[in-house]
Amino acid sequence: MKEIEKVNKMETKPMVPLIISMSVPPLISMCMQYTYNFVDCMFVSWISEDALTAVSLAFPLTTLMIAMSIGLGVGVNVLIAADLGRKDQEAADNTVSNGLILSAFCGALVTAIMLLVIRPFFAFFSHDPQIYKMAVDYMNICAFMEVSNMVHICIQKILQGTGNMIAPMWFQIAGVVLNFILDPILIFGWLGFPAMGVKGAAVATVCGYTFSMLLAFYVLIFRKQKVKIKVKGFRIDFRIFRDIFVIGFPSFVMNALGACMTYFTNIFLVMYSTTAVAFFGAYFKLQQVVIMTLNGLVQGCIPVMSYNFGAKKRARLYDSFKWGTVMAVILTGAAVILLLIFPDDILTVFNASEEMMSFGVPALRIMCVSYVFAAVSTMIASFMQSTKRVGFSLLINLLRQLVLLLPFMWILSGFMGMEGIWWSFMAAETLTLAAGVFLYVRHPVKFS
C-alpha cells in the first residue's frame, strides 16, 4: 500500500477551526450552486408573472438534475476521504478516475432522458399555451447543462475529500458570476445581443456550468493536489461505481426529494391559482439558498467525519458532528430572523403582485421557522451517511420531504385551505427531528 503524507489536518487540527476552514468554502459553493435558478427567476420575473411561473415549473427538473450530480459527487467525496484516512493513495487515485468517467456518462444519460420528458411534464401542469411554451423553451436548453454540471461537481467533491476547500469555491463562484452577467444581457438583449427571454436565462445557465467545469479540470490537472487522475494501469472498477451510488444515494435523495416535494406542492397549489405556483417557485428558490448553504456546511463536515471514521478516531468523529450541528443551527437561525423581519422586501425582488404579497408574506413567516429543525435533522442524516449507515440517512431524508410532508399537506389543506400547506412544512420537520434524535441515540457508531 502506497503511503500518503503522515499527518492530515483532518486528524490533528482543532475541531472548530477545522470545520470552519472546511465548511465555509463549500458553504459558499453550495449557495452559489442554487443561485443559478434564483438569479434566473429574479430576472425573468421582470418579464412577466407568467415567465416566473414557467421557470418555477421547471425547477423540479433542474433540482433533480443537480441532485443527481451532488449524489455522485458526495459518493466520490466519502470514498476518497476514507481512502486517505487509511493512507491508501492508489485507491484514492483510482476513485478519482472512475468517478469522473461515471459522472460524464450519467450526465449524458440524464440529458437524453430530460429531453424526452420535458413536453409531457409541462403539459400536465399548464394548459396556458404561453406558460407551456416558455417552460419548454427554458428546459430544452437547460437539459444540456448536466454533463458539465455532473463533472464539475464531481471534481469539486474530489478536491473537498482531500481537504482542499478553496479551489472548488472559486470555480463555483466563477460560473455563477458569468451566469449573473449573461442573464440580463441575453434575456433583455443588452449590448447588441438579441432579446431571448427565458431562453436567454437558460443559455446563461449552461454557459456558467460549462465555465465552472473547464476551470475545475484545470485545477485538478495542472495544480498540485493530494490526488490525481490515474492513467497508467487504470481500469474501470464497477465496485467503485457501486460504492459511489450506494454512499451518495442519501445525498441524491435529500436533494431529489426537493424536486418531488415541489412537484406535489404545485399539484396542490395549482388548484388555487397560478400566482400561488409562482409564489412557491420564488419561495423555494429562497429556501434552497438557505438549505443548500446548510448543505455546504454539511459537505464540509462529511469529509472530516468520514476521515475520522476511517481512521477510527471516535472522539474526533463525535466532536465534528457536535460542532457541525451547532454551526448549522446558528446559520439557519440567522436566515429565519431575516425572513421573519423582511418578508415584504424579499418578495419584492421577485416583482411580487399585491395578490402574491397577500398570502406570501404570512406563508414565508410560517415556513421559515422549520429551517432550524431541518438543520439538526440534516446533520444527523449526514453523520449516519459518513459512518456508512446509509439506511438511517435515507430514512431521515424521506421523512422530511415525502413520507410525512405529503400526508400533512393533504390533511391540513383540507382543514385550513392554502394556509394548511404552509403549516405542513413545520409539522413534517418537527416529527422528523424527533425521529432523527431517536435513531442517533439508539444506534451508536460501530467501528469495523
Side-chain angles (χ1 to χ4, degrees), residues 11-178:
E11 63 180 292
T12 59
K13 189 171 182 177
M15 190 54 67
V16 173
L18 174 62
I19 290 179
I20 292 174
S21 67
M22 293 284 286
S23 296
V24 170
L27 183 152
I28 295 172
S29 295
M30 292 297 288
C31 181
M32 292 295 101
Q33 178 74 37
Y34 277 83
T35 299
Y36 279 98
N37 202 265
F38 179 90
V39 171
D40 284 355
C41 282
M42 181 181 70
F43 283 116
V44 300
S45 70
W46 300 353
I47 301 174
S48 67
E49 190 173 282
D50 283 349
L52 176 59
T53 301
V55 175
S56 297
L57 288 175
F59 194 61
L61 296 179
T62 56
T63 300
L64 187 62
M65 294 165 72
I66 293 171
M68 294 175 184
S69 304
I70 293 174
L72 288 181
V74 169
V76 173
N77 176 285
V78 171
L79 287 178
I80 288 175
D83 290 338
L84 295 179
R86 293 190 299 269
K87 316 298 184 188
D88 192 344
Q89 182 72 55
E90 184 176 355
D93 292 343
N94 203 34
T95 300
V96 170
S97 300
N98 278 279
L100 288 172
I101 291 172
L102 181 62
S103 64
F105 173 79
C106 289
L109 180 62
V110 170
T111 297
I113 293 172
M114 284 294 170
L115 291 173
L116 291 175
V117 305
I118 285 169
R119 290 182 180 276
F121 177 85
F122 291 124
F124 178 80
F125 279 105
S126 179
H127 300 293
D128 184 313
Q130 184 177 4
I131 293 175
Y132 173 80
K133 183 180 184 303
M134 285 190 290
V136 170
D137 287 345
Y138 180 78
M139 272 309 302
N140 269 336
I141 297 172
C142 275
F144 290 95
M145 77 181 194
E146 187 64 351
V147 172
S148 55
N149 182 36
M150 276 204 169
V151 172
H152 106 262
I153 288 181
C154 181
I155 297 175
Q156 179 187 104
K157 299 307 177 187
I158 286 169
L159 299 182
Q160 290 173 356
T162 70
N164 180 354
M165 304 309 217
I166 301 299
M169 176 186 70
W170 284 114
F171 58 67
Q172 184 77 62
I173 289 175
V176 172
V177 169
L178 180 62

Side-chain angles (χ1 to χ4, degrees), residues 12 16 63 82 148 170 174 230 261 285-286 340-341 343 345 362 419:
T12 59
V16 173
T63 300
S148 55
W170 284 114
K230 185 177 181 181
M261 181 269 290
K285 310 309 177 294
L286 292 169
L340 286 174
I341 297 176
D345 302 281
E419 186 176 345

Side-chain angles (χ1 to χ4, degrees), residues 94 97-98 101 233-241:
N94 203 34
S97 300
N98 278 279
I101 291 172
F234 169 73
R235 291 185 304 174
I236 290 178
D237 190 335
F238 289 100
R239 290 175 300 177
I240 293 178
F241 286 2

Side-chain angles (χ1 to χ4, degrees), residues 409-432:
M409 204 174 287
W410 178 67
I411 294 169
L412 295 180
S413 65
F415 286 102
M416 305 170 65
M418 186 164 55
E419 186 176 345
I421 296 174
W422 318 137
W423 280 107
S424 65
F425 287 87
M426 172 67 78
E429 294 289 7
T430 302
L431 287 184
T432 300

Side-chain angles (χ1 to χ4, degrees), residues 373 377 380 399 428-440:
F373 301 111
S377 298
I380 294 173
L399 289 173
E429 294 289 7
T430 302
L431 287 184
T432 300
L433 175 58
V437 171
F438 174 81
L439 291 173
Y440 176 79

Side-chain angles (χ1 to χ4, degrees), residues 163-441:
N164 180 354
M165 304 309 217
I166 301 299
M169 176 186 70
W170 284 114
F171 58 67
Q172 184 77 62
I173 289 175
V176 172
V177 169
L178 180 62
N179 177 62
F180 189 87
I181 293 171
L182 291 178
D183 254 337
I185 293 174
L186 299 180
I187 291 171
F188 304 112
W190 294 359
L191 303 177
F193 284 84
M196 299 174 67
V198 294
K199 289 183 179 179
V203 171
T205 296
V206 173
C207 289
Y209 280 119
T210 302
F211 187 47
S212 290
M213 181 188 70
L214 295 175
L215 289 178
F217 266 119
Y218 172 80
V219 170
L220 178 63
I221 296 172
F222 297 107
R223 295 292 181 180
K224 184 175 177 60
Q225 305 296 337
K226 294 176 183 176
V227 293
K228 61 183 179 180
I229 298 175
K230 185 177 181 181
V231 178
K232 186 177 179 180
F234 169 73
R235 291 185 304 174
I236 290 178
D237 190 335
F238 289 100
R239 290 175 300 177
I240 293 178
F241 286 2
R242 179 201 63 199
D243 290 344
I244 290 172
F245 279 122
V246 170
I247 295 172
F249 190 63
S251 290
F252 161 71
V253 169
M254 180 174 65
N255 292 281
L257 284 175
C260 295
M261 181 269 290
T262 306
Y263 174 84
F264 287 110
T265 303
N266 284 340
I267 291 176
F268 282 97
L269 291 176
V270 77
M271 295 187 292
Y272 294 96
S273 68
T274 57
T275 299
V277 174
F279 159 73
F280 190 73
Y283 162 76
F284 197 66
K285 310 309 177 294
L286 292 169
Q287 185 209 51
Q288 288 301 93
V289 171
V290 176
I291 297 299
M292 289 304 109
T293 303
L294 167 65
N295 284 343
L297 170 65
V298 168
Q299 299 313 317
C301 293
I302 282 178
V304 180
M305 292 188 289
S306 299
Y307 183 99
N308 286 288
F309 176 71
K312 300 183 179 179
K313 293 182 176 292
R314 180 180 295 271
R316 286 185 65 80
L317 171 64
Y318 279 98
D319 273 354
S320 60
F321 168 72
K322 177 184 71 176
W323 288 110
T325 302
V326 170
M327 294 177 191
V329 170
I330 292 173
L331 179 69
T332 51
V336 169
I337 291 171
L338 287 175
L339 289 170
L340 286 174
I341 297 176
F342 303 110
D344 307 72
D345 302 281
I346 291 169
L347 286 178
T348 300
V349 172
F350 295 97
N351 200 28
S353 62
E354 289 186 16
E355 180 187 358
M356 187 183 293
M357 283 286 192
S358 66
F359 60 78
V361 169
L364 272 179
R365 287 176 168 152
I366 292 169
M367 290 188 286
C368 73
V369 178
S370 67
Y371 296 169
V372 176
F373 301 111
V376 181
S377 298
T378 301
M379 278 301 305
I380 294 173
S382 300
F383 178 77
M384 298 295 185
Q385 182 179 5
S386 299
T387 53
K388 297 190 176 180
R389 292 175 293 170
V390 175
F392 290 150
S393 180
L394 180 60
L395 175 61
I396 292 170
N397 287 317
L398 285 170
L399 289 173
R400 277 192 61 231
Q401 299 189 75
L402 189 66
V403 175
L404 292 175
L405 180 61
L406 293 184
F408 274 126
M409 204 174 287
W410 178 67
I411 294 169
L412 295 180
S413 65
F415 286 102
M416 305 170 65
M418 186 164 55
E419 186 176 345
I421 296 174
W422 318 137
W423 280 107
S424 65
F425 287 87
M426 172 67 78
E429 294 289 7
T430 302
L431 287 184
T432 300
L433 175 58
V437 171
F438 174 81
L439 291 173
Y440 176 79
V441 172

